[in-house]
């Protein structure tokens, strides 16, 4: 594994007040993480923090970082008040810049850019709205 | 001064499950709550993927939505945990907390309208037993939400609001439905949802307050060929307050609701 000490510095510089360097690897985040509890080999937040803190920049290439649901269970229970969600958002943004983002989330972003919404208006919903919504229109 | 709410339905409720939006407007009118909407709003945007892929655009669009809301009324309300998370977090992070107040409508009604709702119920849900699923972003992250909604630490708002309709409410987790990683790891996402659903035994259905949880639970159940109806809380509230069944939009449900 290639290590890059600047990567660790950069991540810690960019993140908010509770720097992930304060992590003492107790593993509480993982023990509360609903994904770790289902498939520990697929997703382990403590391990992701460890990789960042030793400067393993290849963490950006892992499928793992796209699995977190951002439910905050880990952050709610971390004794060091580390906000893992903030870290995962940061890692994903960096990975996206390097071209590692998976296809479907990128499609959603494109839809927000083009239409302003992440969900398309289905023809069925459109028809229903035209039939029923008239009586309760309240546009400001 | 009479308060005007700015109602932000969000993508799923206005574009995929329009009955959620309809039910909500019906409730607001029944309770004589003045509200405004705007065609200028964009997606909140999504606190998971848009925020993760392009933090800058997430911030810009969130800020823009709040700026629009500020000029329309005195409080922004959402009917989606995701919209709530984005707009509340954007407000806390980029406006130093000082933009228009942002609330989940469930909280707004619980805080101000419980008595009135109780007095206006026409169709109580007596004898029904519902599993309740609050989802993760109704009160998380708590280091942000509890600074404004202190009561949430002690009270199970959804439980109280379901009981208000005359039904029994069981369970009540603030845990994750697994929707976000549906598009990056479907197996893991579905396993998580199954775990949540299986926590409820002998219920007439599961009540959620987030269209994403709704969609996720229905997809998993339909995939597994299981018949557990999922309800969006505001559908049940609207029904209790007298909305006709055909206007609730049950036709958009993948799992047939029981006859209420
Ligand atoms: S719970 Fe906090 S301190 Fe413990 S391993 Fe996780 S991030 Fe580190
Ligand atoms: S936010 Fe991500 S890492 Fe933390 S508990 Fe939830 S799924 Fe696990």
């Amino acid at each position: 594994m290639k290590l890059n000490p600047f990567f660790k510095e950069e991540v810690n510089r960019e993140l908010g007040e509770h720097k992930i360097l304060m992590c003492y690897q107790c593993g509480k985040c993982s023990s509360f993480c609903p994904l770790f509890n289902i498939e520990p080999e697929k997703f382990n937040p403590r391990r992701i923090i460890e990789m960042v803190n030793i400067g393993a920049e290849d963490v950006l290439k892992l499928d793992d970082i796209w699995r977190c649901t951002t439910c905050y269970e880990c952050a709610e229970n971390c004794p060091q008040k580390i906000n893992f969600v903030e870290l995962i958002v940061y890692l994903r943004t960096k990975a996206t810049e390097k071209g590692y983002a998976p296809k479907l989330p990128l499609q959603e972003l494109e839809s927000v850019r083009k239409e302003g919404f992440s969900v398309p208006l289905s023809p069925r919903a459109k028809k229903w709205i035209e039939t029923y919504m008239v009586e309760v229109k309240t546009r400001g | 001064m009479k308060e005007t709410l700015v109602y932000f339905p969000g993508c799923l409720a206005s574009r995929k499950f329009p009955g959620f939006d309809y039910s909500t407007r019906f409730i607001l009118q029944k309770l004589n709550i003045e509200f405004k909407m705007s065609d200028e709003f964009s997606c909140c945007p999504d606190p998971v993927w848009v925020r993760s892929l392009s933090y800058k655009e997430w911030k810009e669009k969130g800020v823009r939505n709040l700026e629009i809301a500020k000029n329309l009324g005195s409080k922004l309300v959402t009917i989606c945990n995701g919209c709530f998370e984005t707009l509340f977090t954007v407000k806390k992070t980029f406006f130093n907390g000082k933009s228009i107040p942002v609330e989940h409508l469930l909280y707004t009604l619980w805080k101000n309208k419980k008595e009135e709702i109780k007095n206006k119920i026409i169709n109580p849900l007596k004898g029904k037993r519902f599993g309740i699923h609050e989802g993760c972003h109704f009160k998380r992250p708590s280091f942000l939400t509890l600074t404004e909604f202190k009561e949430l630490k002690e009270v199970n708002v959804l439980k109280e609001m379901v009981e208000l309709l005359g039904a029994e409410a069981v369970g009540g987790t603030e845990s994750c439905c697994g929707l976000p990683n549906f598009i990056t790891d479907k197996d893991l996402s579905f396993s998580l949802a199954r775990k949540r659903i299986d926590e409820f035994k002998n219920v007439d259905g599961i009540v959620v307050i987030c269209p994403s949880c709704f969609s996720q639970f229905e997809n998993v159940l339909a995939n597994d060929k299981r018949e557990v109806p999922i309800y969006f809380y505001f559908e049940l509230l609207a029904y209790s307050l007298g909305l006709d069944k055909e206007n609730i939009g049950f036709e958009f449900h993948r799992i047939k609701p029981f006859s209420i």
Side-chain angles (χ1 to χ4, degrees), chain A residues 70 108-113 115-119, chain B residues 8 10-12 41-66 76 78 80-91 94 137 212:
Chain A
T70 74
E108 191 196 309
L109 178 64
E110 267 318 301
S111 163
V112 172
R113 281 176 180 158
E115 321 275 333
F117 299 97
S118 46
V119 181
Chain B
F8 187 97
C11 287
L12 280 169
F41 285 135
S42 68
C43 173
C44 58
D46 165 17
V48 182
W49 296 119
V50 178
R51 173 162 62 156
S52 293
L53 265 49
S54 177
Y55 190 77
K56 188 169 159 280
E57 285 168 88
W58 175 75
K59 170 189 164 179
E60 283 167 3
K61 287 197 160 55
V63 166
R64 180 182 166 278
N65 283 331
L66 286 174
L76 176 67
T78 82
C80 165
N81 290 9
C83 297
F84 171 72
E85 187 195 3
T86 283
L87 297 169
F88 187 75
T89 307
V90 166
K91 181 193 95 155
F94 306 113
H137 298 134
S212 296

Side-chain angles (χ1 to χ4, degrees), chain B residues 23-237:
Chain B
S23 300
T24 307
R25 296 193 210 184
F26 177 85
I27 293 163
L28 293 171
Q29 290 184 345
K30 268 275 157 189
L31 300 175
N32 300 314
I33 297 174
E34 207 172 282
F35 70 100
K36 283 191 179 158
M37 302 173 73
S38 172
D39 288 329
E40 296 298 309
F41 285 135
S42 68
C43 173
C44 58
D46 165 17
V48 182
W49 296 119
V50 178
R51 173 162 62 156
S52 293
L53 265 49
S54 177
Y55 190 77
K56 188 169 159 280
E57 285 168 88
W58 175 75
K59 170 189 164 179
E60 283 167 3
K61 287 197 160 55
V63 166
R64 180 182 166 278
N65 283 331
L66 286 174
E67 293 290 357
I68 295 168
K70 226 167 58 185
N71 295 320
L72 287 178
S74 48
K75 187 190 280 177
L76 176 67
V77 292
T78 82
I79 55 168
C80 165
N81 290 9
C83 297
F84 171 72
E85 187 195 3
T86 283
L87 297 169
F88 187 75
T89 307
V90 166
K91 181 193 95 155
K92 287 299 235 187
T93 316
F94 306 113
F95 288 88
N96 214 356
K98 287 202 187 72
S99 180
I100 183 170
V102 177
E103 290 179 4
H104 191 298
L105 181 65
L106 184 80
Y107 174 82
T108 316
L109 297 181
W110 171 82
K111 179 107 178 152
N112 310 302
K113 296 282 172 186
K114 265 181 90 175
E115 271 312 300
E116 196 175 332
I117 292 173
K118 205 166 150 190
N119 295 331
K120 288 188 170 164
I121 289 179
I122 301 169
N123 301 315
L125 298 170
K126 282 253 171 319
K128 297 292 179 206
R129 183 180 145 93
F130 293 117
I132 53 172
H133 175 84
E134 182 181 285
C136 26
H137 298 134
F138 180 62
K139 52 184 168 210
R140 283 190 197 152
S142 65
F143 63 83
L144 285 186
T145 56
L146 294 185
T147 56
E148 291 193 19
F149 314 111
K150 294 195 177 55
E151 316 93 320
L152 290 183
K153 204 172 176 181
E154 319 290 337
V155 189
N156 188 329
V157 172
L158 181 56
K159 184 172 165 59
E160 287 193 10
M161 292 300 276
V162 167
E163 287 170 352
L164 189 67
L165 309 182
E168 185 188 348
V170 296
T173 63
E174 43 183 90
S175 46
C176 182
C177 68
L179 178 87
N181 62 11
F182 172 71
I183 56 175
T184 52
D185 191 331
K186 188 174 164 195
D187 289 343
L188 191 54
S189 165
F190 272 22
S191 303
L192 182 50
R194 280 187 197 105
K195 220 171 147 179
R196 294 289 160 258
I197 292 165
D198 291 340
E199 279 162 17
F200 303 112
K201 309 271 181 243
N202 306 319
V203 290
D204 294 302
I206 298 171
V207 182
V208 298
I209 51 169
C210 174
S212 296
C213 302
F214 178 90
S215 165
Q216 168 80 344
F217 284 169
E218 277 215 322
N219 286 343
V220 172
L221 289 161
N223 176 80
D224 296 353
K225 300 196 168 42
R226 289 172 65 191
E227 297 276 327
V228 183
I230 310 296
Y231 296 97
F232 189 55
Y233 177 76
F234 298 108
E235 294 176 318
L236 294 181
L237 175 57

Side-chain angles (χ1 to χ4, degrees), chain A residues 19-33:
Chain A
K19 304 261 187 278
I20 54 157
L21 270 177
M22 305 287 282
C23 167
Y24 50 55
Q25 289 287 301
C26 67
K28 221 173 164 192
C29 46
S30 299
S31 73
F32 276 91
C33 171

Side-chain angles (χ1 to χ4, degrees), chain A residues 24-64:
Chain A
Y24 50 55
Q25 289 287 301
C26 67
K28 221 173 164 192
C29 46
S30 299
S31 73
F32 276 91
C33 171
L35 302 179
F36 179 82
N37 278 296
I38 293 172
E39 289 204 53
E41 65 293 345
K42 266 192 170 177
F43 187 69
N44 183 344
R46 183 205 56 75
R47 173 81 183 128
I48 288 175
I49 295 189
E50 182 183 28
M51 285 184 78
V52 171
N53 277 342
I54 61 171
E57 198 170 358
D58 280 353
V59 71
L60 297 177
K61 292 182 185 162
L62 295 182
D63 288 343
D64 305 36

